[in-house]
Amino acid sequence: MANKPLQFILTERKLNVGKQAEKIVLIAQPTGRHRVDFRNFCEWVARSTTFSPQEVAAVLNLATETARNIVANGDIVDFGDLGTLKPSFKSRAVEKGKPFRVQEHIEKPVVRLVPSRKYFTLTDVVYEQVPVKKS
């Protein structure tokens, strides 16, 4: 797939912290992005394999469901180039000497993705500034 430039616009912002606090600066923001839905993504992957798009979707869905079940049991999953999946939750602070109640003080269990730096760092990109679209 040929790479196209990452498009961006320049916007003015007033910074609140740091060396340039209270100054108006220019910030680049990505624009011109499109979402590739899961079905089209599976079709793209299938073009490079002997699998059908439906088989690619089934394998991806099974892999994510299996990884979630493993993490729900408290284990960590190395999810290849994407990174690592780990269990996590929020815990409320309890004063020392008072009873800690799991049902009351632990909440919002989640699967946390610790992304791979190598995979999520884009090194082979070029940039293209585009004019701001007027609404």
Side-chain angles (χ1 to χ4, degrees), residues 85-104:
L85 300 172
K86 298 179 175 187
S88 185
F89 52 79
K90 290 189 178 186
S91 175
R92 292 186 182 178
V94 177
E95 242 181 85
K96 189 173 180 180
K98 295 202 174 183
F100 185 90
R101 294 186 187 89
V102 172
Q103 297 300 327
E104 183 181 342

Side-chain angles (χ1 to χ4, degrees), residues 10-113:
L10 291 177
T11 57
E12 288 185 3
R13 290 277 166 83
K14 183 177 181 181
L15 295 184
N16 295 325
V17 295
K19 293 179 185 177
Q20 298 179 336
E22 303 301 320
K23 293 182 182 176
I24 296 188
V25 297
L26 293 176
I27 302 286
Q29 288 185 308
T31 188
R33 297 173 288 182
H34 301 281
R35 182 177 297 272
V36 175
D37 65 21
F38 186 67
R39 175 176 282 166
N40 286 324
F41 174 73
C42 290
E43 287 176 10
W44 284 18
V45 172
R47 287 183 200 146
S48 302
T49 70
T50 59
F51 297 114
S52 71
Q54 294 79 13
E55 291 170 321
V56 170
V59 169
L60 289 174
N61 284 330
L62 180 60
T64 56
E65 181 182 331
T66 303
R68 185 187 184 287
N69 290 337
I70 292 169
V71 173
N73 285 320
D75 295 321
I76 297 170
V77 175
D78 179 357
F79 211 66
D81 290 344
L82 285 178
T84 305
L85 300 172
K86 298 179 175 187
S88 185
F89 52 79
K90 290 189 178 186
S91 175
R92 292 186 182 178
V94 177
E95 242 181 85
K96 189 173 180 180
K98 295 202 174 183
F100 185 90
R101 294 186 187 89
V102 172
Q103 297 300 327
E104 183 181 342
H105 296 111
I106 295 179
E107 56 189 29
K108 298 182 182 176
V110 296
V111 175
R112 179 88 52 216
L113 169 64

